[in-house]
Structure formats: structure tokens, C-alpha cells
């Protein structure tokens, strides 16, 4: 499964534009006073200005070449603070996922992640963002919601992650929807997940589907 585009909300489009173009260095595809669309490897990341009571906060992960995590750590530390995973390390070692990752926040408090998936054949001589890897989907009924996505769109349960009552990963190493229970803390933080609207276009088995989450 591949994530082709994610459309998310922001309370501060100007600061969001600055962070993603200057810090993450993502190229601009299009922009206006109400939106910005950015090229995130083979994916598109779009933010739209919103005036909601609560500033929207999401979890977004990006795939990077699986041999470039040390370079990613060095690069991120030039403009942001990495979130601790253990008392001695900023690197999350997901042995069952055959992956390693680092976490940080953007200007809006979105939890971002760069993940090196060793199951992908994407070794490269330098660091770059390969694609949107994950999008967090927050719901009060994660089991039922995941079941509906499976039955309606044929999305597979991630083969590397057994389903849990409050957590289901749908997709594969290329792209995942992380369906979690509202109030469950986002790893590796103490920040509880909250629902905020998003629109995501995925490609699964050659079929493109746009989901309003």
C-alpha cells in the first residue's frame, strides 16, 4: 500500500510553510493563502488553514533509505530536538517491524517520524524523504473502524504487527494507516491521541482510494 497524498489541517499556515520548506526542505508543488502542497518523495503532503477551536495535531511518518538513519539523526539535530525513546537513546528499534526510527515535533506539535525500514529495497548514497510512510488515524472504536477499512477497501493488516485492542496497523512497509484509540499515548510521548479530520489518498493493489478520516 502506498500513501499518495495526505491533507491535514494547520492553525498556522505561515509557520507550517516555513518549517516544511526550510527545515525539512520539502519542495513546494502549489500554495495559496489557504493551503500548501509539498513533495514528500513519491507522496504529497498538503496542509490547509483551519480556524477550529483546537489546533489539529497528527502523527505522520516518512520513509527514508534504510541505510541512512545515522545521517538522519545528524541532520535533524541541526534544527530540532529529537524525542527520547529510552533513557540513553533517541532511536526506536522496532525489531518485529525490521525497522528503526527517530521522532520529533514540527511547529504545530505534530509528531513526526523518520523511519528506516530494512524490508524496503531503498538503500541510497544520501539521505532523502522517500514517501509518507504512516498516518495516525484516531477513533473511539479502533477495532470496528479498522474492520470497516478492511472490509470496504481490502486493506491488509500489517503482517509484522498483530492486531491489538487499541492499535491496528493496516498496509505494508510502503505505507501504513495506524488506527489507534483516542486517548492512547502516541509513542514515544505522553501525549494522548486526539481525532482531527484528514483526507488521505492511498493506492492498494493498483487501485487509488481517497478516504475522509
Amino acid at each position: 500500500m502506498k500513501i499518495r497524498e495526505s491533507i491535514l489541517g494547520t492553525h498556522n499556515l505561515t509557520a507550517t510553510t516555513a518549517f516544511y520548506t526550510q527545515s525539512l526542505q520539502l519542495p513546494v508543488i502549489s500554495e495559496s493563502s489557504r493551503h500548501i502542497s509539498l513533495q514528500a518523495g513519491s507522496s504529497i503532503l498538503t496542509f490547509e488553514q483551519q480556524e477550529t477551536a483546537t489546533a489539529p495535531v497528527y502523527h505522520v511518518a516518512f520513509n527514508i533509505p534504510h541505510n541512512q538513519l545515522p545521517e538522519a539523526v545528524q541532520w535533524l539535530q541541526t534544527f530540532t530536538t529529537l524525542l527520547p525513546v529510552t533513557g540513553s537513546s533517541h532511536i526506536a528499534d522496532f525489531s518485529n517491524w525490521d525497522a528503526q526510527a527517530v521522532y520529533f515535533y514540527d511547529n504545530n506539535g505534530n509528531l513526526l517520524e523518520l523511519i528506516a525500514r530494512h524490508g524496503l529495497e531503498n538503500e541510497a548514497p544520501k539521505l532523502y524523504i522517500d514517501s509518507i510512510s504512516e498516518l495516525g488515524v484516531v477513533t473511539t472504536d479502533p477495532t470496528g473502524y479498522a474492520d470497516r477499512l478492511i472490509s470496504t477497501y481490502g486493506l491488509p493488516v500489517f503482517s509484522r504487527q498483530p492486531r491489538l485492542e487499541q492499535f491496528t496497523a493496516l498496509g505494508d512497509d510502503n505505507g501504513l494507516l495506524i488506527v489507534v484509540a483516542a486517548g492512547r499515548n502516541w509513542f514515544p510521548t505522553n501525549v494522548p491521541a486526539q481525532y482531527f479530520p484528514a483526507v488521505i489518498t492511498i493506492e492498494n493493489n493498483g487501485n487509488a482510494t481517497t478516504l475522509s478520516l
Side-chain angles (χ1 to χ4, degrees):
M1 189 181 86
K2 297 180 180 179
I3 297 176
R4 291 305 188 191
E5 182 175 11
S6 294
I7 303 175
L8 312 177
T10 176
H11 262 204
N12 191 334
L13 185 62
T14 299
T16 296
T17 297
F19 180 88
Y20 284 87
T21 59
Q22 298 173 20
S23 295
L24 283 191
Q25 302 175 20
L26 298 183
V28 177
I29 299 173
S30 66
E31 62 181 320
S32 70
S33 62
R34 303 294 301 176
H35 92 286
I36 186 164
S37 292
L38 304 145
Q39 194 74 56
S42 62
S43 306
I44 299 172
L45 177 63
T46 296
F47 286 96
E48 295 181 342
Q49 179 69 36
Q50 292 184 357
E51 284 79 27
T52 52
T54 303
V57 176
Y58 304 90
H59 167 52
V60 183
F62 300 96
N63 280 330
I64 61 171
H66 69 80
N67 62 320
Q68 290 292 324
L69 192 67
E71 288 75 10
V73 170
Q74 294 179 8
W75 174 56
L76 290 172
Q77 288 177 330
T78 65
F79 64 85
T80 192
T81 300
L82 298 180
L83 299 179
V85 174
T86 68
S88 60
S89 178
H90 296 100
I91 297 176
D93 189 1
F94 300 117
S95 57
N96 58 324
W97 287 27
D98 195 19
Q100 294 174 299
V102 288
Y103 294 84
F104 57 103
Y105 292 121
D106 74 356
N107 63 290
N108 289 322
N110 292 313
L111 177 62
L112 303 185
E113 173 186 358
L114 297 187
I115 184 165
R117 300 182 185 275
H118 302 294
L120 292 178
E121 296 181 0
N122 64 353
E123 182 175 338
K126 64 179 182 179
L127 174 66
Y128 65 94
I129 289 178
D130 191 30
S131 63
I132 297 175
S133 175
E134 301 172 7
L135 180 68
V137 179
V138 183
T139 173
T140 56
D141 180 19
T143 299
Y145 194 82
D147 285 343
R148 289 192 291 275
L149 291 175
I150 292 167
S151 61
T152 303
Y153 303 105
L155 303 187
V157 175
F158 188 32
S159 61
R160 300 182 188 274
Q161 175 62 55
R163 293 187 68 175
L164 304 174
E165 183 178 353
Q166 294 190 328
F167 182 103
T168 297
L170 299 176
D172 54 36
D173 284 327
N174 292 288
L176 293 170
L177 299 182
I178 307 296
V179 184
V180 301
R184 181 184 188 273
N185 289 348
W186 286 119
F187 178 85
T189 76
N190 293 319
V191 177
Q194 300 181 66
Y195 166 77
F196 295 98
V199 177
I200 182 169
T201 300
I202 60 173
E203 181 183 325
N204 184 47
N205 294 326
N207 298 315
T209 302
T210 298
L211 307 173
S212 295
L213 307 175

Short mmCIF file of all heavy atoms in Angstrom, two decimals, residues 167-193:
data_model
loop_
_atom_site.label_atom_id
_atom_site.label_comp_id
_atom_site.label_asym_id
_atom_site.label_seq_id
_atom_site.Cartn_x
_atom_site.Cartn_y
_atom_site.Cartn_z
N PHE A 167 -4.92 -0.73 18.89
CA PHE A 167 -3.90 -0.41 17.88
C PHE A 167 -3.97 -1.43 16.76
O PHE A 167 -3.79 -2.62 16.98
CB PHE A 167 -2.52 -0.44 18.54
CG PHE A 167 -1.36 -0.10 17.64
CD1 PHE A 167 -0.77 1.15 17.71
CD2 PHE A 167 -0.85 -1.02 16.75
CE1 PHE A 167 0.32 1.47 16.90
CE2 PHE A 167 0.23 -0.72 15.94
CZ PHE A 167 0.81 0.53 16.01
N THR A 168 -4.23 -0.94 15.54
CA THR A 168 -4.17 -1.80 14.35
C THR A 168 -3.43 -1.06 13.26
O THR A 168 -3.76 0.08 12.95
CB THR A 168 -5.57 -2.18 13.85
OG1 THR A 168 -6.26 -2.95 14.84
CG2 THR A 168 -5.48 -3.01 12.58
N ALA A 169 -2.41 -1.69 12.70
CA ALA A 169 -1.67 -1.13 11.57
C ALA A 169 -2.16 -1.81 10.30
O ALA A 169 -2.14 -3.04 10.19
CB ALA A 169 -0.17 -1.34 11.75
N LEU A 170 -2.61 -0.99 9.33
CA LEU A 170 -3.13 -1.51 8.07
C LEU A 170 -2.21 -1.08 6.93
O LEU A 170 -1.89 0.11 6.81
CB LEU A 170 -4.55 -0.97 7.81
CG LEU A 170 -5.61 -1.34 8.85
CD1 LEU A 170 -6.94 -0.65 8.49
CD2 LEU A 170 -5.80 -2.85 8.91
N GLY A 171 -1.78 -2.02 6.12
CA GLY A 171 -0.93 -1.72 4.98
C GLY A 171 0.30 -2.60 4.96
O GLY A 171 0.25 -3.77 5.37
N ASP A 172 1.41 -2.04 4.52
CA ASP A 172 2.66 -2.79 4.44
C ASP A 172 3.83 -1.84 4.65
O ASP A 172 3.63 -0.69 5.08
CB ASP A 172 2.77 -3.55 3.12
CG ASP A 172 2.59 -2.65 1.90
OD1 ASP A 172 3.06 -1.49 1.94
OD2 ASP A 172 2.02 -3.09 0.90
N ASP A 173 5.05 -2.30 4.37
CA ASP A 173 6.23 -1.48 4.62
C ASP A 173 6.21 -0.16 3.83
O ASP A 173 6.82 0.82 4.26
CB ASP A 173 7.50 -2.25 4.25
CG ASP A 173 7.88 -3.29 5.29
OD1 ASP A 173 7.61 -3.06 6.47
OD2 ASP A 173 8.44 -4.34 4.91
N ASN A 174 5.53 -0.14 2.70
CA ASN A 174 5.49 1.09 1.91
C ASN A 174 4.61 2.16 2.54
O ASN A 174 4.94 3.35 2.49
CB ASN A 174 4.99 0.78 0.50
CG ASN A 174 5.96 -0.05 -0.29
OD1 ASN A 174 7.01 0.43 -0.70
ND2 ASN A 174 5.64 -1.33 -0.50
N GLY A 175 3.48 1.76 3.10
CA GLY A 175 2.56 2.72 3.68
C GLY A 175 1.62 2.07 4.67
O GLY A 175 1.15 0.94 4.45
N LEU A 176 1.36 2.78 5.77
CA LEU A 176 0.52 2.24 6.84
C LEU A 176 -0.46 3.29 7.34
O LEU A 176 -0.11 4.47 7.50
CB LEU A 176 1.38 1.79 8.03
CG LEU A 176 2.30 0.59 7.85
CD1 LEU A 176 3.24 0.48 9.04
CD2 LEU A 176 1.50 -0.69 7.67
N LEU A 177 -1.68 2.86 7.61
CA LEU A 177 -2.61 3.62 8.43
C LEU A 177 -2.52 3.05 9.84
O LEU A 177 -2.74 1.85 10.03
CB LEU A 177 -4.04 3.52 7.91
CG LEU A 177 -4.28 4.05 6.49
CD1 LEU A 177 -5.78 3.92 6.15
CD2 LEU A 177 -3.83 5.49 6.35
N ILE A 178 -2.19 3.89 10.81
CA ILE A 178 -2.04 3.45 12.19
C ILE A 178 -3.32 3.82 12.92
O ILE A 178 -3.54 4.98 13.31
CB ILE A 178 -0.83 4.11 12.86
CG1 ILE A 178 0.44 3.90 12.01
CG2 ILE A 178 -0.64 3.57 14.26
CD1 ILE A 178 0.86 2.46 11.86
N VAL A 179 -4.22 2.86 13.08
CA VAL A 179 -5.52 3.10 13.70
C VAL A 179 -5.38 2.90 15.20
O VAL A 179 -5.08 1.79 15.67
CB VAL A 179 -6.59 2.15 13.11
CG1 VAL A 179 -7.96 2.47 13.70
CG2 VAL A 179 -6.63 2.26 11.59
N VAL A 180 -5.61 3.98 15.96
CA VAL A 180 -5.39 3.92 17.40
C VAL A 180 -6.61 4.48 18.13
O VAL A 180 -7.41 5.24 17.58
CB VAL A 180 -4.14 4.70 17.83
CG1 VAL A 180 -2.90 4.15 17.15
CG2 VAL A 180 -4.29 6.19 17.53
N ALA A 181 -6.72 4.10 19.40
CA ALA A 181 -7.81 4.57 20.25
C ALA A 181 -7.55 5.99 20.71
O ALA A 181 -6.43 6.36 21.09
CB ALA A 181 -7.96 3.65 21.45
N ALA A 182 -8.58 6.81 20.67
CA ALA A 182 -8.48 8.16 21.22
C ALA A 182 -8.07 8.07 22.69
O ALA A 182 -8.60 7.25 23.45
CB ALA A 182 -9.80 8.89 21.08
N GLY A 183 -7.12 8.89 23.08
CA GLY A 183 -6.62 8.88 24.46
C GLY A 183 -5.41 8.01 24.67
O GLY A 183 -4.74 8.13 25.70
N ARG A 184 -5.10 7.13 23.73
CA ARG A 184 -3.89 6.32 23.83
C ARG A 184 -2.68 7.20 23.53
O ARG A 184 -2.67 7.92 22.54
CB ARG A 184 -3.94 5.16 22.84
CG ARG A 184 -2.74 4.21 22.87
CD ARG A 184 -2.89 3.18 21.77
NE ARG A 184 -1.87 2.13 21.83
CZ ARG A 184 -0.67 2.19 21.26
NH1 ARG A 184 -0.34 3.29 20.60
NH2 ARG A 184 0.18 1.20 21.36
N ASN A 185 -1.65 7.14 24.34
CA ASN A 185 -0.47 7.99 24.13
C ASN A 185 0.25 7.63 22.84
O ASN A 185 0.45 6.45 22.55
CB ASN A 185 0.50 7.87 25.30
CG ASN A 185 0.00 8.54 26.56
OD1 ASN A 185 -0.97 9.29 26.54
ND2 ASN A 185 0.66 8.28 27.68
N TRP A 186 0.63 8.66 22.10
CA TRP A 186 1.47 8.44 20.93
C TRP A 186 2.87 8.05 21.39
O TRP A 186 3.49 8.75 22.18
CB TRP A 186 1.58 9.70 20.08
CG TRP A 186 0.38 10.06 19.28
CD1 TRP A 186 -0.36 11.21 19.38
CD2 TRP A 186 -0.22 9.30 18.23
NE1 TRP A 186 -1.38 11.20 18.47
CE2 TRP A 186 -1.32 10.04 17.75
CE3 TRP A 186 0.07 8.06 17.65
CZ2 TRP A 186 -2.13 9.59 16.72
CZ3 TRP A 186 -0.75 7.61 16.63
CH2 TRP A 186 -1.83 8.36 16.16
N PHE A 187 3.38 6.93 20.91
CA PHE A 187 4.75 6.54 21.19
C PHE A 187 5.69 7.51 20.48
O PHE A 187 5.45 7.86 19.33
CB PHE A 187 4.99 5.11 20.67
CG PHE A 187 6.40 4.61 20.88
CD1 PHE A 187 6.77 4.05 22.07
CD2 PHE A 187 7.35 4.73 19.86
CE1 PHE A 187 8.08 3.59 22.26
CE2 PHE A 187 8.64 4.28 20.04
CZ PHE A 187 9.00 3.71 21.25
N PRO A 188 6.75 7.97 21.14
CA PRO A 188 7.25 7.64 22.48
C PRO A 188 6.93 8.76 23.48
O PRO A 188 7.77 9.09 24.31
CB PRO A 188 8.75 7.56 22.24
CG PRO A 188 9.01 8.65 21.23
CD PRO A 188 7.77 8.72 20.36
N THR A 189 5.75 9.36 23.39
CA THR A 189 5.42 10.53 24.19
C THR A 189 4.35 10.18 25.23
O THR A 189 3.81 9.07 25.25
CB THR A 189 4.89 11.66 23.31
OG1 THR A 189 3.53 11.36 22.92
CG2 THR A 189 5.73 11.82 22.04
N ASN A 190 4.01 11.17 26.04
CA ASN A 190 2.87 11.08 26.95
C ASN A 190 1.70 11.91 26.43
O ASN A 190 0.81 12.28 27.19
CB ASN A 190 3.27 11.56 28.34
CG ASN A 190 4.26 10.63 29.01
OD1 ASN A 190 4.15 9.40 28.92
ND2 ASN A 190 5.27 11.19 29.67
N VAL A 191 1.69 12.16 25.14
CA VAL A 191 0.65 12.96 24.51
C VAL A 191 -0.47 12.04 24.03
O VAL A 191 -0.23 11.16 23.19
CB VAL A 191 1.20 13.76 23.33
CG1 VAL A 191 0.10 14.54 22.63
CG2 VAL A 191 2.32 14.70 23.79
N PRO A 192 -1.69 12.20 24.56
CA PRO A 192 -2.79 11.33 24.12
C PRO A 192 -3.25 11.67 22.71
O PRO A 192 -3.31 12.84 22.32
CB PRO A 192 -3.90 11.61 25.15
CG PRO A 192 -3.60 12.97 25.68
CD PRO A 192 -2.11 13.13 25.63
N ALA A 193 -3.55 10.64 21.95
CA ALA A 193 -4.04 10.83 20.59
C ALA A 193 -5.42 11.46 20.60
O ALA A 193 -6.28 11.09 21.41
CB ALA A 193 -4.08 9.48 19.86
#
